[in-house]
Amino acid sequence: QVQLVESGGGLVQAGDSLRLSCAASGRTYSNYAMGWFRQAPGKEREFVAAISWGGGDTHYPDSMKGRFTISRDNAKNTVYLQMNSLKPEDTAVYYCAVGPYRGSSGWSRMRYDYWGQGTQVTVSS
């Protein structure tokens, strides 16, 4: 069982930056990846970024490249999502998730087994 706790969300103005954290605890896989997703009201969940735990391999959809950066601190079992130049359309609940890493060519086949409760990010115009 893996527990994930997100933090760092809040209310910011357009153009601001925010860093989200996701702390993992419990039994994790020997080689796993962690991802960030978001879901805005009335919209489907959207993939934001992912990172392998050991190798630092990262993956972003094209729509997230440039303003969002995922990183991790293995010593703290924590993954971060740095968000810059925030826009009102970035308003959503942001979730982190963990699943077995499938290699750099396997991001499209990632399966996320455990999810956090989410942290709200609200960007005002």
Side-chain angles (χ1 to χ4, degrees), residues 1 9 17 19 32 71 79-80 83-84 90 93 97 105 112-113 118 121-124:
Q1 191 76 8
S17 297
R19 189 178 78 160
Y32 61 99
S71 61
V79 171
Y80 304 98
M83 305 185 294
N84 299 326
D90 295 318
V93 178
S105 61
Y112 293 92
D113 297 328
V121 173
T122 303
V123 184
S124 64

Side-chain angles (χ1 to χ4, degrees), residues 18-58:
L18 204 59
R19 189 178 78 160
L20 306 182
S21 301
C22 175
S25 62
R27 176 177 294 182
T28 55
Y29 312 91
S30 59
N31 189 10
Y32 61 99
M34 295 187 72
W36 284 100
F37 294 78
R38 69 184 186 184
Q39 188 165 21
K43 295 187 177 181
E44 294 186 353
R45 186 174 62 198
E46 183 179 25
F47 171 64
V48 177
I51 187 168
S52 65
W53 198 252
D57 182 22
T58 59

Side-chain angles (χ1 to χ4, degrees), residues 81-104:
L81 182 68
Q82 178 68 41
M83 305 185 294
N84 299 326
S85 302
L86 284 164
K87 305 174 182 179
E89 50 263 43
D90 295 318
T91 295
V93 178
Y94 284 72
Y95 301 91
C96 67
V98 64
Y101 178 54
R102 296 180 179 269
S104 59

Side-chain angles (χ1 to χ4, degrees), residues 7 21 67 70 74 105 119:
S7 61
S21 301
R67 296 190 299 120
I70 191 170
N74 290 351
S105 61
T119 184

